[in-house]
Amino acid sequence: MFQNQTSSLKFGWIKWGMVFGILLGAFASLPVSFSQEPSSSNGPSSSNGTGTFELRGRVRERGTKKILEGVNVFILPSKLKATTDAEGRFVVPSVPVGKFTVVVNLAGYQKLEQEDEQLAGESEKRELFLEKTSYLVYETTVFGRKDKRDESSKSLSQDQFLNVPGAQGDPIKAVQNLPGVNRPPQGTAGVIIQGSAPQDTAYQIDGHEVPIIFHFGGLSSVVLPEALDRVDYLSAGYGPENGRANGGLVGVWTSKPRTDRFRGFGYVDTFNAGFKMEGALPGPGEGGFVIGARQSYVGAVLKSVLKDQDAFSFTVAPTFSDLVGIFQWKLSEKDEFKISNVISSDSLEFLFSTPQDSDPTVRGDFSNHTDFFRIIPQWTHRFSSELTSRFSLGLGRDFIDFTIGSNSFDLDNTQLTTRGEIDWKVNPSWATQFGFDHLYTRSDVSFNLPNVVSEGGVSNPFASGETRQASVKDVGLRQIGLYWRNEVRPGGAESAFTLLPGVRTEWVTATQEFIALPRFAMKYQVDDSLFVRLGSGLYSQAPEPQQVDDNYGNPDLRSPRSAHLALSAEKDFREGSSRGFVLSGGLFHRWFSDLVEQSTDEVERDGVTVPEYYSNTGDGRSYGAEVLGRVELAPFTGWLSYTLSRSVRSSDGGSEQLFQYDQTHLLTAIAAVDLPRNWRISTRVRYTTGNPYTPITGSVFDADNDVYFPVRGTLYSERLNPFFQLDFRIDKKWVYDTWILWLYLDVQNATNRKNVEQLQYAYDYSESATVSGLPVVPSFGLKAEF
Amino acid sequence: MKYQVRRLVGSWGFLLGGLTSLSACSDMGFPEAWELGTLRVLALQADRPEVNPLVDGSFTITPVVSDLSGEGRALEYEIQFCYDPAVAYGADPDCDNHPDALLGSSAVTRTGVLGGLSDPTYTGAVTEGAVGDFTFTVPATLLSFLDSEENAVELNNGVPFSVVFTVTDPLTGESVTAFRRINATTRSILNSNPTLLGVQDSDGNTITTVAAGGDEVDLEAVLPDDVAESYTAKFRDGSSETLTEAIFISWFSSSGELSGGRSEVNTFVTFTPPDADTVTSGDTPAPFLFVLVRDDRGGSQFVSIPTAP
């Protein structure tokens, strides 16, 4: 009856088909990418036979070959001058033959002073390369500014997340340094926003939802970081364009391909290797492409570390791979089309050599595969400077299977998401956006799993749960969101006040609910350097699928709701310069209601008394203050983020208790200093309050299953020790004319502190011991880019 | 069934984290599950793991207790019988807060002085203080009012009752609690306890005693070929399936070293007896083994392998 079909097999055809398609597109683009030679107007220069010659050349950035336009090229001692055109080319007529000096002096670059000589005869084209002052610039100036519509969001650009110490170049790990982001337990994958639950955060690629944003255990995000333009983090009070997440949203946006030249890189580090290629596409329009891929071998490292374990042995080491392809065309002056392709694959298999003392059902083979792909076409049409439409699709499939011994879960999910928006600047004081956001999934699912009860973060034994088994096909789920956002300046375009009223509606087929969710924000620009913002709104999030299942859930559940209120301000002390301080901060408060909890009650449904399984009896709050200070005093840069927060939950009207992820203090300090010769040293320090946990006061023996039930004390009444970690990173770049060699050392937990991540118990809970997180983890990387 | 995968997979990292920690716990110095010494309940054997109350709902519990370090101290028991408080869904495994009209105004509770533990092992089946204390009856009314179609799953798979057994040392207050379920079903073939024929080594030699100072030996439980019974399970989506019991063997020892506390059918555990000197000096108890076989429906059987005379 139950078929544990391996999804990777199904996925393989699609995966390799897409790989082939992307590579085909990439190779098709290569001839054009490489054919960026000068036109005939820039043919070979020649001396004119009168004692002078025409000096032709091109100025580019050293290492990256970036074309430098508008650069003055001086010829000494004849005091001649030329300026580079859009192609970086320059022509200096009538340069006297003989020795001369080329001088180029451009801000941000080292002065070029090159001795040269031209004898009579035909001269060669000169290739000049300007070396940047630093190739390791750590920019914070674009923080939260790029393409920003929602003031509740914070954005990290590629430059930032690639260089943040401790984040290993990963955008999502870099987000975890921001204020309001709780530290997740080590080995878990997710972003916990302002005291909400990990599952209350939605993850998007180019605005379209994806099942995971991290590979296994939070090792790395699922898209090659260098193929991303930025990562957005939306917290309390986010706008109506997004929804279905009571916590917030983390979205990554793929980069726009650069078409000025063909470029790329390849890298190898301790855990994985990858590459990226980028350039222009053939055909009409200004088309470009980015393709990249990664393959991890972290599993091989883990396998060697755990080879002496008697408890289990790896049969397939944990591994992940991902592939990204981005193609963009400017179809006309008014139309742009972009298509992003993302493929991600994770797999892990191992064998328990004997049934475990703590639970005999944990035995035999364990395997987990998570694969998905998304194809995201995006079309932007500008009717006029006031009216723009955007439309995009997210078509993909998710394959997830999971096996422990005789227990298994297999999901084949086809997902189509659509987003559309009309952006209309009605007049200088009013802009409005209408949009829709539709999610459709069709699923085939089979499972044979026990119901695992967890309370207070402590799970009952696997063996003691009621086994649930089903196999169903072609089950659809729809969520349709409509939104209307407004940006109004009541006193005219120059008004210091901006009002942002909006509303979002959701139709959720799983719960048969139509939900209206008003949002309101207000911004007051005190002066050019200071603004204050108020954000508020109602939010909802559909119950998890299994919770509303007709047989093993409660089909009468409602969507959990939340209300957000956030007050924030930002003061830029730099007064127009590139040096100085920026200080931002705010207060947030969230109220959660109708949270879904496990129920032991029985209810009458369709005239039959059945277990309720789940109920909307949970409530909660999270509130706090957060502050972010950034400093840019080149060559020193850094930031300091601090959050003071409290998150509580209550059950069925009972008293409040701490939430599992409550962390009173969250402190992150990051500093970097750029040194001469393209060295940079950076460091990160993190301190967080330890997570609450539920003490276990005893146990009861389950004689049927030969396991022990934990007897819980007061839920979340104790805390793990505070977490402290120091990371540092050293970068060094060697810059050659046409390529750059980059070496880095990223050391996590440099002090080798034994941070307690969880408690481990004896088989009968009579004794406990702490389990520490990762020890010092050095990661070497080598990257060659051109 | 409706599946949206975003949040479903989000928590799987916790599982991986747990599995990783599993590798760490072997070095934490915890007592092994197979080590006998402190007061513990090893099994609550029922003569009938499943009953059909419409025919005969009675059953008798045989608690299996080990109190090696107690050396025969006086122990008291409390045994309760109640409608299952939905332990599988998260309820606490006790009868205290789960009065049941079917059984009267509250759970059936009986107390007495425990007997049966004797020198030298102080491990094995125990006896009740008053005859009949360990015998209960599932009322026929439990199933008789259920609708044969609407409650087909419950009637076939069974409605569980709970037996909660607590042993206490009245002098020190030390106490251990165990529980089991009795499945009330209308199945025509009820579950029975598995048969355990004995223990043998890897050469097929029957093991009847163990001694200190002996060689390391691989041991397996001798079970009949048909020890795993087949049965039909019904599911809430209307499907049904013929399943076969999973059989687990639990191994316990008073001293020496076992390679593991559990095994499966046709798999071995390795027993390393303690040094004879340490036993002679009294530093280590004399070795004996206790072997329990369980099916995954509440059936159990046990055998004791005593110290060689």
Side-chain angles (χ1 to χ4, degrees), chain A residues 199 209 244 309 356-357 363 402 411 443 451 466 469 475 541 545 549 551 661 701 703-704 706, chain B residues 1-3 5-7 9 14-15 23 40 88-89 177 179 181 235-236 239 241 250 262 264 294:
Chain A
Q199 62 268 28
E209 195 163 304
R244 303 173 194 149
Q309 292 300 320
Q356 299 302 292
D357 278 352
R363 71 190 203 284
F402 168 83
L411 172 69
S443 306
N451 169 42
E466 176 202 41
Q469 180 169 346
V475 178
Q541 177 176 315
D549 179 69
N551 297 311
Y661 300 101
F701 180 58
D704 292 329
D706 196 11
Chain B
M1 186 71 55
K2 311 164 185 73
Y3 270 84
V5 298
R6 173 178 110 207
R7 296 171 186 102
V9 299
F14 292 96
L15 174 66
S23 68
R40 59 194 284 195
Y89 310 127
T177 299
F179 79 99
R181 304 159 190 84
F235 300 96
R236 294 199 182 279
S239 64
E241 186 176 3
S250 299
R262 298 186 202 277
E264 297 175 89
R294 287 184 171 84

Short mmCIF file of all heavy atoms in Angstrom, two decimals, chain A residues 199 209 244 309 356-357 363 402 411 443 451 466 469 475 541 545 549 551 661 701 703-704 706, chain B residues 1-3 5-7 9 14-15 23 40 88-89 177 179 181 235-236 239 241 250 262 264 294:
data_model
loop_
_atom_site.label_atom_id
_atom_site.label_comp_id
_atom_site.label_asym_id
_atom_site.label_seq_id
_atom_site.Cartn_x
_atom_site.Cartn_y
_atom_site.Cartn_z
N GLN A 199 8.68 28.59 12.11
CA GLN A 199 7.77 28.32 11.01
C GLN A 199 6.88 29.50 10.68
O GLN A 199 6.04 29.43 9.77
CB GLN A 199 6.92 27.07 11.30
CG GLN A 199 6.04 27.18 12.50
CD GLN A 199 6.73 26.65 13.75
OE1 GLN A 199 7.95 26.67 13.86
NE2 GLN A 199 5.95 26.17 14.70
N GLU A 209 7.46 31.91 -3.13
CA GLU A 209 7.74 31.08 -1.96
C GLU A 209 8.47 29.80 -2.34
O GLU A 209 8.17 29.16 -3.35
CB GLU A 209 6.42 30.74 -1.28
CG GLU A 209 6.58 30.20 0.10
CD GLU A 209 5.27 30.26 0.87
OE1 GLU A 209 4.68 31.34 0.99
OE2 GLU A 209 4.86 29.20 1.35
N ARG A 244 0.84 35.82 4.78
CA ARG A 244 0.95 34.38 5.09
C ARG A 244 2.10 34.07 6.01
O ARG A 244 2.65 32.97 5.98
CB ARG A 244 1.06 33.56 3.80
CG ARG A 244 -0.08 33.78 2.86
CD ARG A 244 0.15 33.11 1.54
NE ARG A 244 -0.81 33.62 0.59
CZ ARG A 244 -0.60 33.73 -0.71
NH1 ARG A 244 0.55 33.34 -1.23
NH2 ARG A 244 -1.51 34.21 -1.51
N GLN A 309 31.67 6.21 15.35
CA GLN A 309 30.44 6.08 16.10
C GLN A 309 29.86 4.68 15.94
O GLN A 309 29.72 4.19 14.82
CB GLN A 309 29.42 7.12 15.62
CG GLN A 309 29.81 8.54 15.96
CD GLN A 309 29.95 8.74 17.46
OE1 GLN A 309 29.15 8.22 18.23
NE2 GLN A 309 30.98 9.46 17.87
N GLN A 356 17.82 1.83 19.09
CA GLN A 356 18.37 2.73 20.09
C GLN A 356 17.77 2.47 21.48
O GLN A 356 16.59 2.12 21.61
CB GLN A 356 18.08 4.17 19.67
CG GLN A 356 18.72 4.53 18.34
CD GLN A 356 20.23 4.32 18.37
OE1 GLN A 356 20.93 5.04 19.06
NE2 GLN A 356 20.72 3.34 17.63
N ASP A 357 18.61 2.62 22.51
CA ASP A 357 18.15 2.39 23.88
C ASP A 357 16.98 3.30 24.22
O ASP A 357 16.06 2.92 24.94
CB ASP A 357 19.29 2.67 24.87
CG ASP A 357 20.23 1.47 24.98
OD1 ASP A 357 19.88 0.41 24.42
OD2 ASP A 357 21.28 1.61 25.62
N ARG A 363 15.63 2.68 14.34
CA ARG A 363 16.54 1.60 13.97
C ARG A 363 16.55 1.48 12.46
O ARG A 363 15.67 2.01 11.78
CB ARG A 363 16.09 0.27 14.59
CG ARG A 363 14.83 -0.28 13.97
CD ARG A 363 14.26 -1.46 14.75
NE ARG A 363 13.42 -2.31 13.96
CZ ARG A 363 12.17 -2.01 13.60
NH1 ARG A 363 11.64 -0.86 13.93
NH2 ARG A 363 11.47 -2.86 12.88
N PHE A 402 11.46 10.93 3.47
CA PHE A 402 12.02 10.83 4.80
C PHE A 402 11.71 9.43 5.31
O PHE A 402 10.55 9.00 5.25
CB PHE A 402 11.34 11.91 5.64
CG PHE A 402 11.55 11.83 7.10
CD1 PHE A 402 12.69 12.36 7.65
CD2 PHE A 402 10.60 11.28 7.94
CE1 PHE A 402 12.88 12.33 9.02
CE2 PHE A 402 10.78 11.24 9.30
CZ PHE A 402 11.93 11.77 9.84
N LEU A 411 6.57 13.07 -0.26
CA LEU A 411 5.75 14.17 -0.78
C LEU A 411 6.25 14.58 -2.15
O LEU A 411 7.44 14.77 -2.37
CB LEU A 411 5.84 15.38 0.17
CG LEU A 411 5.20 16.68 -0.31
CD1 LEU A 411 3.69 16.54 -0.35
CD2 LEU A 411 5.59 17.83 0.61
N SER A 443 -0.63 18.14 -4.57
CA SER A 443 0.29 17.26 -3.85
C SER A 443 -0.11 15.79 -3.94
O SER A 443 -1.29 15.46 -3.92
CB SER A 443 0.35 17.64 -2.37
OG SER A 443 0.64 18.99 -2.22
N ASN A 451 2.35 9.64 15.55
CA ASN A 451 2.09 10.99 16.00
C ASN A 451 3.06 11.30 17.14
O ASN A 451 2.99 10.70 18.20
CB ASN A 451 0.64 11.07 16.50
CG ASN A 451 0.36 12.35 17.24
OD1 ASN A 451 0.81 13.41 16.81
ND2 ASN A 451 -0.37 12.24 18.34
N GLU A 466 0.65 7.28 18.12
CA GLU A 466 -0.29 6.55 17.29
C GLU A 466 0.21 6.58 15.84
O GLU A 466 0.50 7.64 15.31
CB GLU A 466 -1.66 7.21 17.36
CG GLU A 466 -2.69 6.58 16.45
CD GLU A 466 -3.84 7.52 16.13
OE1 GLU A 466 -3.60 8.71 15.89
OE2 GLU A 466 -4.99 7.06 16.12
N GLN A 469 -1.27 6.59 8.86
CA GLN A 469 -0.88 6.10 7.55
C GLN A 469 -1.89 6.56 6.51
O GLN A 469 -3.10 6.47 6.72
CB GLN A 469 -0.82 4.57 7.59
CG GLN A 469 -0.41 3.96 6.26
CD GLN A 469 -0.10 2.48 6.41
OE1 GLN A 469 0.05 1.99 7.51
NE2 GLN A 469 -0.01 1.80 5.31
N VAL A 475 -4.16 16.37 -4.48
CA VAL A 475 -4.90 17.21 -3.54
C VAL A 475 -4.43 18.66 -3.70
O VAL A 475 -3.24 18.95 -3.67
CB VAL A 475 -4.66 16.74 -2.10
CG1 VAL A 475 -5.38 17.65 -1.12
CG2 VAL A 475 -5.14 15.32 -1.96
N GLN A 541 -1.77 33.37 8.94
CA GLN A 541 -0.93 32.32 8.39
C GLN A 541 -1.71 31.03 8.46
O GLN A 541 -2.18 30.65 9.54
CB GLN A 541 0.36 32.23 9.21
CG GLN A 541 1.31 31.16 8.81
CD GLN A 541 2.60 31.22 9.63
OE1 GLN A 541 3.15 32.29 9.84
NE2 GLN A 541 3.06 30.08 10.10
N PRO A 545 -0.32 21.95 7.04
CA PRO A 545 -1.22 21.06 6.30
C PRO A 545 -1.74 19.89 7.12
O PRO A 545 -2.94 19.56 7.06
CB PRO A 545 -0.35 20.58 5.14
CG PRO A 545 0.71 21.59 5.00
CD PRO A 545 0.95 22.15 6.36
N ASP A 549 -5.85 18.25 8.37
CA ASP A 549 -6.19 17.02 7.67
C ASP A 549 -7.51 16.45 8.21
O ASP A 549 -7.78 16.49 9.40
CB ASP A 549 -5.06 16.00 7.86
CG ASP A 549 -5.36 14.71 7.17
OD1 ASP A 549 -5.36 14.70 5.93
OD2 ASP A 549 -5.62 13.71 7.86
N ASN A 551 -8.49 13.42 8.52
CA ASN A 551 -8.40 12.22 9.32
C ASN A 551 -7.53 12.37 10.55
O ASN A 551 -7.85 11.86 11.62
CB ASN A 551 -7.85 11.07 8.47
CG ASN A 551 -8.78 10.73 7.34
OD1 ASN A 551 -9.99 10.56 7.55
ND2 ASN A 551 -8.26 10.67 6.13
N TYR A 661 11.72 30.15 22.06
CA TYR A 661 12.82 30.89 21.44
C TYR A 661 13.01 32.27 22.06
O TYR A 661 13.61 33.14 21.43
CB TYR A 661 12.60 30.99 19.93
CG TYR A 661 12.51 29.64 19.28
CD1 TYR A 661 11.28 29.09 18.94
CD2 TYR A 661 13.65 28.88 19.05
CE1 TYR A 661 11.19 27.82 18.38
CE2 TYR A 661 13.57 27.63 18.49
CZ TYR A 661 12.34 27.10 18.15
OH TYR A 661 12.26 25.85 17.60
N PHE A 701 7.64 4.57 32.86
CA PHE A 701 8.03 3.52 31.93
C PHE A 701 6.83 3.06 31.10
O PHE A 701 5.79 2.70 31.66
CB PHE A 701 8.62 2.35 32.72
CG PHE A 701 9.06 1.19 31.87
CD1 PHE A 701 10.01 1.37 30.88
CD2 PHE A 701 8.55 -0.08 32.08
CE1 PHE A 701 10.44 0.30 30.11
CE2 PHE A 701 8.98 -1.15 31.32
CZ PHE A 701 9.92 -0.96 30.32
N ALA A 703 5.61 0.24 29.32
CA ALA A 703 5.97 -1.18 29.26
C ALA A 703 5.63 -1.80 27.91
O ALA A 703 6.18 -2.84 27.55
CB ALA A 703 5.28 -1.94 30.38
N ASP A 704 4.72 -1.22 27.17
CA ASP A 704 4.38 -1.77 25.85
C ASP A 704 5.52 -1.58 24.86
O ASP A 704 5.75 -2.42 24.00
CB ASP A 704 3.14 -1.07 25.28
CG ASP A 704 1.90 -1.41 26.07
OD1 ASP A 704 1.83 -2.53 26.60
OD2 ASP A 704 1.00 -0.56 26.15
N ASP A 706 8.76 -0.36 25.79
CA ASP A 706 10.09 -0.39 26.39
C ASP A 706 10.79 0.95 26.25
O ASP A 706 11.96 1.03 25.86
CB ASP A 706 10.93 -1.51 25.76
CG ASP A 706 12.16 -1.85 26.61
OD1 ASP A 706 12.22 -1.37 27.76
OD2 ASP A 706 13.04 -2.57 26.11
N MET B 1 -6.10 15.43 2.31
CA MET B 1 -4.77 15.78 2.79
C MET B 1 -4.25 16.93 1.94
O MET B 1 -4.29 16.90 0.72
CB MET B 1 -3.88 14.57 2.65
CG MET B 1 -2.51 14.75 3.24
SD MET B 1 -2.55 14.80 5.01
CE MET B 1 -3.39 13.27 5.35
N LYS B 2 -3.80 17.95 2.60
CA LYS B 2 -3.35 19.13 1.87
C LYS B 2 -1.94 19.41 2.32
O LYS B 2 -1.68 19.53 3.49
CB LYS B 2 -4.25 20.31 2.18
CG LYS B 2 -5.74 19.96 2.06
CD LYS B 2 -6.57 21.00 2.73
CE LYS B 2 -8.04 20.61 2.72
NZ LYS B 2 -8.33 19.51 3.66
N TYR B 3 -1.07 19.56 1.40
CA TYR B 3 0.32 19.74 1.81
C TYR B 3 0.97 20.95 1.17
O TYR B 3 1.01 21.10 -0.04
CB TYR B 3 1.14 18.47 1.54
CG TYR B 3 1.08 17.61 2.76
CD1 TYR B 3 0.04 16.75 2.97
CD2 TYR B 3 2.02 17.78 3.76
CE1 TYR B 3 -0.06 16.01 4.11
CE2 TYR B 3 1.94 17.04 4.92
CZ TYR B 3 0.90 16.16 5.09
OH TYR B 3 0.80 15.44 6.23
N VAL B 5 4.64 22.76 1.75
CA VAL B 5 5.81 22.17 2.38
C VAL B 5 6.69 23.14 3.14
O VAL B 5 7.58 22.74 3.85
CB VAL B 5 6.68 21.46 1.33
CG1 VAL B 5 5.92 20.34 0.69
CG2 VAL B 5 7.16 22.46 0.29
N ARG B 6 6.41 24.43 3.02
CA ARG B 6 7.35 25.40 3.58
C ARG B 6 7.63 25.12 5.04
O ARG B 6 8.76 24.97 5.46
CB ARG B 6 6.77 26.79 3.42
CG ARG B 6 7.57 27.85 4.10
CD ARG B 6 6.95 29.21 3.85
NE ARG B 6 6.35 29.75 5.03
CZ ARG B 6 5.35 30.60 5.04
NH1 ARG B 6 4.79 30.96 3.92
NH2 ARG B 6 4.87 31.08 6.15
N ARG B 7 6.58 25.07 5.82
CA ARG B 7 6.79 24.93 7.25
C ARG B 7 7.00 23.49 7.66
O ARG B 7 7.54 23.20 8.71
CB ARG B 7 5.62 25.54 7.98
CG ARG B 7 5.57 27.03 7.71
CD ARG B 7 4.31 27.66 8.22
NE ARG B 7 4.28 29.04 7.80
CZ ARG B 7 3.55 29.51 6.80
NH1 ARG B 7 2.79 28.70 6.11
NH2 ARG B 7 3.57 30.77 6.46
N VAL B 9 8.92 21.30 6.39
CA VAL B 9 10.32 20.89 6.41
C VAL B 9 11.18 21.78 7.31
O VAL B 9 12.30 21.44 7.61
CB VAL B 9 10.94 20.85 5.00
CG1 VAL B 9 10.22 19.87 4.13
CG2 VAL B 9 10.93 22.24 4.37
N PHE B 14 15.74 20.18 13.25
CA PHE B 14 15.80 19.76 14.63
C PHE B 14 16.07 18.26 14.72
O PHE B 14 16.78 17.78 15.58
CB PHE B 14 14.49 20.09 15.35
CG PHE B 14 14.28 21.55 15.51
CD1 PHE B 14 13.51 22.26 14.62
CD2 PHE B 14 14.87 22.23 16.55
CE1 PHE B 14 13.33 23.61 14.75
CE2 PHE B 14 14.70 23.58 16.71
CZ PHE B 14 13.93 24.27 15.80
N LEU B 15 15.46 17.54 13.80
CA LEU B 15 15.67 16.10 13.78
C LEU B 15 17.14 15.80 13.51
O LEU B 15 17.74 14.97 14.19
CB LEU B 15 14.79 15.48 12.70
CG LEU B 15 15.00 13.99 12.47
CD1 LEU B 15 14.58 13.23 13.70
CD2 LEU B 15 14.27 13.53 11.25
N SER B 23 24.98 10.94 18.43
CA SER B 23 26.35 10.46 18.35
C SER B 23 27.16 10.92 19.56
O SER B 23 28.16 10.33 19.89
CB SER B 23 27.01 10.99 17.08
OG SER B 23 27.18 12.39 17.16
N ARG B 40 13.52 -0.79 39.31
CA ARG B 40 12.87 -0.47 38.04
C ARG B 40 11.88 -1.55 37.66
O ARG B 40 12.00 -2.70 38.08
CB ARG B 40 13.89 -0.26 36.92
CG ARG B 40 14.76 -1.44 36.65
CD ARG B 40 15.97 -1.08 35.79
NE ARG B 40 15.60 -0.90 34.39
CZ ARG B 40 16.50 -0.88 33.40
NH1 ARG B 40 17.80 -1.00 33.66
NH2 ARG B 40 16.13 -0.73 32.17
N ALA B 88 -1.13 8.64 23.62
CA ALA B 88 -0.55 8.79 22.29
C ALA B 88 -0.71 10.20 21.75
O ALA B 88 0.00 10.61 20.83
CB ALA B 88 -1.19 7.79 21.32
N TYR B 89 -1.64 10.94 22.32
CA TYR B 89 -1.87 12.32 21.85
C TYR B 89 -1.31 13.35 22.81
O TYR B 89 -1.58 14.54 22.67
CB TYR B 89 -3.36 12.57 21.63
CG TYR B 89 -4.02 11.51 20.79
CD1 TYR B 89 -5.15 10.86 21.24
CD2 TYR B 89 -3.48 11.14 19.57
CE1 TYR B 89 -5.74 9.86 20.49
CE2 TYR B 89 -4.05 10.14 18.81
CZ TYR B 89 -5.19 9.51 19.28
OH TYR B 89 -5.76 8.52 18.52
N THR B 177 7.32 4.23 38.33
CA THR B 177 5.98 4.03 37.76
C THR B 177 6.11 3.50 36.35
O THR B 177 6.97 3.96 35.58
CB THR B 177 5.20 5.35 37.76
OG1 THR B 177 5.06 5.81 39.10
CG2 THR B 177 3.81 5.18 37.14
N PHE B 179 3.48 1.94 32.98
CA PHE B 179 2.11 1.77 32.52
C PHE B 179 2.11 0.92 31.26
O PHE B 179 3.12 0.78 30.56
CB PHE B 179 1.42 3.11 32.27
CG PHE B 179 1.78 3.77 30.98
CD1 PHE B 179 0.95 3.67 29.87
CD2 PHE B 179 2.98 4.47 30.87
CE1 PHE B 179 1.30 4.27 28.67
CE2 PHE B 179 3.34 5.06 29.67
CZ PHE B 179 2.49 4.97 28.57
N ARG B 181 -0.92 -0.58 28.09
CA ARG B 181 -2.28 -0.49 27.57
C ARG B 181 -2.83 -1.90 27.39
O ARG B 181 -2.07 -2.84 27.11
CB ARG B 181 -2.30 0.24 26.23
CG ARG B 181 -1.67 1.63 26.29
CD ARG B 181 -1.26 2.08 24.91
NE ARG B 181 -0.46 3.28 24.94
CZ ARG B 181 0.86 3.30 25.14
NH1 ARG B 181 1.52 2.19 25.37
NH2 ARG B 181 1.52 4.45 25.14
N PHE B 235 -7.31 2.22 8.78
CA PHE B 235 -6.88 3.60 8.90
C PHE B 235 -8.04 4.54 8.62
O PHE B 235 -9.05 4.16 8.02
CB PHE B 235 -5.71 3.86 7.93
CG PHE B 235 -4.53 2.99 8.21
CD1 PHE B 235 -4.33 1.81 7.51
CD2 PHE B 235 -3.64 3.32 9.22
CE1 PHE B 235 -3.26 1.00 7.80
CE2 PHE B 235 -2.56 2.50 9.51
CZ PHE B 235 -2.37 1.34 8.80
N ARG B 236 -7.84 5.77 9.06
CA ARG B 236 -8.96 6.72 9.01
C ARG B 236 -9.32 7.15 7.60
O ARG B 236 -10.37 7.74 7.38
CB ARG B 236 -8.64 7.95 9.86
CG ARG B 236 -8.53 7.61 11.33
CD ARG B 236 -8.66 8.82 12.22
NE ARG B 236 -8.50 8.44 13.61
CZ ARG B 236 -9.47 7.91 14.36
NH1 ARG B 236 -10.67 7.72 13.84
NH2 ARG B 236 -9.25 7.58 15.62
N SER B 239 -8.74 2.94 4.40
CA SER B 239 -7.93 1.83 3.93
C SER B 239 -7.65 0.85 5.06
O SER B 239 -7.84 1.16 6.24
CB SER B 239 -6.61 2.34 3.35
OG SER B 239 -5.83 2.95 4.36
N GLU B 241 -4.82 -2.60 6.02
CA GLU B 241 -3.59 -3.26 5.59
C GLU B 241 -3.26 -4.38 6.56
O GLU B 241 -3.48 -4.25 7.77
CB GLU B 241 -2.44 -2.26 5.53
CG GLU B 241 -1.16 -2.83 4.95
CD GLU B 241 -0.06 -1.79 4.82
OE1 GLU B 241 -0.29 -0.64 5.24
OE2 GLU B 241 1.01 -2.12 4.32
N SER B 250 14.91 -7.26 24.52
CA SER B 250 15.65 -6.42 25.47
C SER B 250 16.50 -7.32 26.35
O SER B 250 16.05 -8.37 26.82
CB SER B 250 14.68 -5.62 26.35
OG SER B 250 13.89 -4.77 25.55
N ARG B 262 19.44 -3.89 23.22
CA ARG B 262 18.33 -4.35 22.38
C ARG B 262 18.88 -5.13 21.19
O ARG B 262 19.98 -4.88 20.71
CB ARG B 262 17.54 -3.17 21.83
CG ARG B 262 16.88 -2.30 22.88
CD ARG B 262 16.03 -1.27 22.17
NE ARG B 262 15.76 -0.12 22.99
CZ ARG B 262 14.81 -0.04 23.90
NH1 ARG B 262 14.06 -1.10 24.12
NH2 ARG B 262 14.62 1.05 24.59
N GLU B 264 17.23 -7.46 17.52
CA GLU B 264 16.07 -7.88 16.75
C GLU B 264 16.16 -9.38 16.49
O GLU B 264 17.14 -10.01 16.86
CB GLU B 264 16.01 -7.09 15.45
CG GLU B 264 15.83 -5.59 15.70
CD GLU B 264 15.88 -4.78 14.42
OE1 GLU B 264 14.83 -4.60 13.81
OE2 GLU B 264 16.98 -4.34 14.07
N ARG B 294 9.40 -8.60 23.16
CA ARG B 294 8.16 -7.83 23.03
C ARG B 294 7.72 -7.83 21.57
O ARG B 294 8.56 -7.74 20.67
CB ARG B 294 8.38 -6.36 23.44
CG ARG B 294 8.53 -6.13 24.91
CD ARG B 294 8.63 -4.63 25.16
NE ARG B 294 8.56 -4.33 26.58
CZ ARG B 294 9.60 -4.37 27.41
NH1 ARG B 294 10.77 -4.70 26.95
NH2 ARG B 294 9.45 -4.09 28.68
#
